[in-house]
Structures are given as structure tokens and as C-alpha cells.
Amino acid sequence: MFKFVLRAVRMACVAVLCIVAFTSTTYAKIDTTDILGRKITLEKPGEQVMLGFYFEDYIAITGPTAIDRLKAISLNYWKGYRPLQYEAYLKIAPEIADLMDVGDADAGTMSAEKIIASQPDVVILSAGQYKYLGASAQTIEQVGIPLVVVDYNAQTVDKHVASTLIIGQVMGAEDRAAKLAEQYKAGVDDTLLRVAKASAEKKKVYVELGQKGASEFGNTYGKGMWAGVVDAAGGLNIAEGQIANWGPLNP
């Protein structure tokens, strides 16, 4: 009887060890440098992410698990600025409607306290959002939450590529990020080459972020962001010199 019990105990211990070995995952620490040159260390890839901006970029880089790993967002930067895109994602991933909203930097409602309350294991913000938070951004890091800054708004190849590789590191998707960065750089290089060879007269261009609909003038851009796209494509941006950064242009 004693031998039978001892054998059962040994078998149970082996089973427990097998389960632990199968379910536990060890990660090497992730050391990255964000777009502002700040060095950040993560214990593991992000699993509970507070994402402030660049939703389509984050999803493309992270891959199929991207939405499942979101914990909180700045809702206006997605639903407000890209309403049709948000609706399209909502149809295939209705769970995004349940993500915590940490507020909007443009409206003055984003705060370090709201971000901390969402209990993320990593925070990814745009350079503009980080600048808005100012000194209070340090509070997030002081409670042990890594904060990473990326920047696609600058509309430069270097910052686009760097931001993509940074998100890839943070999310454990380095290979996917590297491929996307290379595809992007190759596409821009090809576009710039064709623009340089073009002999047609430059066209005057007006670009508007039309999230408010046709009845109201939305933002246009004097430099950076969509103005950078117009410049790269060889257009003459009519907002240059009229709008410092972004805002509605007088009709």
C-alpha cells in the first residue's frame, strides 16, 4: 500500500512539473531606445498595452494578436480622427469598444493617472502625447510601467523606420517589423526616384483631414504629417506658410 501511494505521489509530482514546464515561458529582457533617445527596459513583450496613437501601424507590426493585447487607448485619436477606419475594425473586432479610454491630449483630458489606472504593462505614446503629459509622464515610469515614444507624424523615413522597429521590439515582433520597415523604405525610395524623373509641372495641392464631414472644414497641414507626403510626391502645398503645423485653412 505504501509503495502504491509513493508511486502515485511521484506520478503526480512529475505531472505537475510537466505542466509547469509546458505553461511557463521565460523571456529575455528587452532593451530598446525610443524615438526621443530614451533608453527603456521591458521584462517581456507587451501583453497589456496602453496605446495612444498609430493604431494601424501597431496592428500591422504586431500581427494577429495585436488587438487581443490592447488594454487601453486614447479613443479620440482612433474613433475621432479616423472614424471610418475605427468602424471597419469594430466590425471584425467588436471588443475594441470595451477598451478603456485614457483621454485625449488635444482636448486636455489625457493624464498620467488615467494611464496608470488602466494597469498596462507598457505604454506606447506619440511624441506629441508625451510632450503634452510633460513632467507627469515620469509618474508612469516611477510606478514601474515602461513608457515608449514613437513618431510617425514627423513624416520622415528615418523616424518611420525607427518607430516601426521600436514597436517590433516592444511587442516581440522584430522580424515582422523589419520586413515592414524595409518594404516601406523601398516604396518611398521608388516614389522619390519617379518624382525626381517627372517632368510635369508641379500641381497645387490642398489636403484636409475630413473626419468632421463635408459640412465643416477639418485640419490641413503646413509642415510635417500630410504636408510631408505632399512634399515627397512633388506637390505644391497651398497651406505652406499659411498654417504653422495643422489647423483649418481659411476657405
Side-chain angles (χ1 to χ4, degrees):
M1 182 65 181
F2 176 74
K3 290 182 178 179
F4 175 78
V5 172
L6 184 61
R7 183 178 298 172
V9 170
R10 286 175 177 169
M11 290 176 66
C13 289
V14 170
V16 169
L17 289 172
C18 287
I19 291 172
V20 170
F22 181 76
T23 58
S24 64
T25 305
T26 57
Y27 297 99
K29 287 186 177 181
I30 300 170
D31 293 313
T32 188
T33 302
D34 74 5
I35 207 70
L36 299 180
R38 302 164 58 254
K39 297 186 182 301
I40 300 106
T41 298
L42 291 82
E43 296 297 326
K44 59 182 180 180
E47 295 177 353
Q48 301 287 318
V49 181
M50 188 270 117
L51 180 63
F53 203 2
Y54 311 132
F55 306 98
E56 62 271 56
D57 307 282
Y58 161 83
I59 292 169
I61 296 163
T62 305
T65 65
I67 291 176
D68 293 338
R69 295 159 76 177
L70 284 177
K71 184 74 176 290
I73 59 173
S74 178
L75 183 61
N76 188 51
Y77 278 81
W78 199 354
K79 186 177 181 180
Y81 284 123
R82 292 165 171 78
L84 296 182
Q85 184 197 87
Y86 179 81
E87 288 178 15
Y89 275 106
L90 194 60
K91 289 178 181 177
I92 61 171
E95 62 270 24
I96 67 174
D98 298 325
L99 294 171
M100 180 176 174
D101 178 17
V102 301
D104 174 18
D106 289 350
T109 58
M110 178 184 282
S111 68
E113 289 76 13
K114 289 180 181 178
I115 292 172
I116 293 169
S118 70
Q119 299 182 323
D121 57 19
V122 64
V123 173
I124 302 174
L125 297 178
S126 72
Q129 290 169 331
Y130 179 78
K131 182 179 179 180
Y132 162 80
L133 288 175
S136 67
Q138 298 176 9
T139 306
I140 299 169
E141 296 176 309
Q142 287 170 354
V143 299
I145 302 172
L147 192 161
V148 181
V149 181
V150 292
D151 187 0
Y152 291 94
N153 290 70
Q155 200 57 48
T156 67
V157 173
D158 289 346
K159 287 191 176 181
H160 265 60
V161 168
S163 295
T164 298
L165 297 178
I166 290 165
I167 293 175
Q169 284 184 296
V170 169
M171 301 308 298
E174 293 92 339
D175 290 345
R176 189 180 179 97
K179 289 178 182 178
L180 287 170
E182 185 56 37
Q183 288 174 2
Y184 166 76
K185 189 176 184 305
V188 173
D189 288 345
D190 176 65
T191 299
L192 295 178
L193 182 62
R194 288 186 287 116
V195 168
K197 290 180 178 179
S199 57
E201 182 181 353
K202 288 188 175 183
K203 305 295 185 181
K204 290 183 179 179
V205 180
Y206 169 71
V207 61
E208 178 183 322
L209 182 64
Q211 85 275 22
K212 297 179 180 180
S215 62
E216 185 174 347
F217 282 89
N219 287 345
T220 190
Y221 304 86
K223 63 179 180 180
M225 289 190 278
W226 291 107
V229 176
V230 175
D231 293 341
L236 295 174
N237 180 16
I238 68 170
E240 184 178 355
Q242 306 296 322
I243 300 292
N245 292 302
W246 62 85
L249 186 65
N250 186 304

